[in-house]
Amino acid sequence: MNREFHKSTISIIIILVIAFAARQYLNVKEEARKNEPTWMRGKEFAAMTSEDNIALQYFREKHPERAVLLACEEDITDDKLMDLLVIYKENLDIRLVAVCNTGHGNWYISPEIPAPIENQTIRFKNIDNEAEMEFIVSGEKKGAIGYAVYRLIEGEIKDLFGEGMEDCC
């Protein structure tokens, strides 16, 4: 009976430790959500596009040496044609490019910019209600969290504003 009592006690302690750790994890996530700018709260992250996406296939054909980490589709140029944002890794560098559909099966790949090293996300949001779609890129590097709001201007990804990106790219 004494042995059974110890097993039960140990099981209860293990369950309590796991519950405490889970609660701590959820508290950290909730705190990070609270620190997000108000306009970003409740916005869904863009989903990874399918492997058969034409823009993704074009990007992989042009740059087979680049490992795609995240690729999300949206009409960022307001021309009613779907474009693709690609976060990729090449050697030790993590970069972001836009693969823009220019019509009739033609594509344009923007110049690259630095992207977050870990846990990259993309959100699309027309923040200023102007024609072009803004996109929010966020991520981490060794626990440092950052985000930036971008827009494609004259074929280049331009940083409109953000916070902490210099620490996570």
Side-chain angles (χ1 to χ4, degrees):
M1 180 164 169
N2 195 17
R3 180 176 234 160
E4 289 300 317
F5 177 76
H6 289 300
K7 283 184 181 179
S8 298
T9 303
I10 290 172
S11 296
I12 291 171
I13 291 171
I14 290 172
I15 290 169
L16 289 173
V17 167
I18 291 171
F20 178 76
R23 183 67 186 148
Q24 291 298 102
Y25 173 79
L26 292 174
N27 285 343
V28 167
K29 288 293 187 185
E30 178 64 18
E31 191 62 33
R33 189 195 66 74
K34 286 179 183 175
N35 290 332
E36 230 178 19
T38 305
W39 56 268
M40 280 180 64
R41 290 187 192 149
K43 305 296 182 233
E44 293 297 318
F45 297 120
M48 176 74 172
T49 191
S50 66
E51 287 297 318
D52 63 349
N53 179 285
I54 296 169
L56 182 57
Q57 290 175 0
Y58 176 82
F59 178 81
R60 289 182 194 265
E61 177 185 307
K62 293 296 179 188
H63 300 287
E65 72 285 0
R66 296 177 174 174
V68 174
L69 302 175
L70 182 62
C72 302
E73 186 178 50
E74 181 63 59
D75 177 11
I76 61 172
T77 56
D78 194 40
D79 59 4
K80 310 300 183 248
L81 300 171
M82 295 305 280
D83 307 302
L84 190 70
L85 293 179
V86 179
I87 297 177
Y88 67 88
K89 181 176 183 176
E90 184 177 16
N91 301 320
L92 297 177
D93 296 323
I94 309 293
R95 300 284 185 245
L96 169 69
V97 296
V99 181
C100 298
N101 187 342
T102 59
H104 307 293
N106 296 313
W107 300 92
Y108 167 78
I109 299 177
S110 72
E112 64 187 32
I113 64 168
I117 302 298
E118 305 164 330
N119 301 320
Q120 304 90 351
T121 64
I122 297 173
R123 296 178 187 182
F124 297 101
K125 174 80 174 132
N126 193 342
I127 294 169
D128 61 1
N129 295 319
E130 295 293 324
E132 292 82 11
M133 178 75 67
E134 288 79 29
F135 44 97
I136 302 114
V137 176
S138 61
E140 300 177 46
K141 177 182 175 185
K142 297 181 182 176
I145 299 171
Y147 75 92
V149 178
Y150 298 101
R151 182 186 304 139
L152 195 69
I153 300 173
E154 297 178 3
E156 294 184 24
I157 298 172
K158 298 292 185 175
D159 184 346
L160 302 178
F161 60 90
E163 186 174 317
M165 284 297 271
E166 64 279 357
D167 297 328
C168 69
C169 294

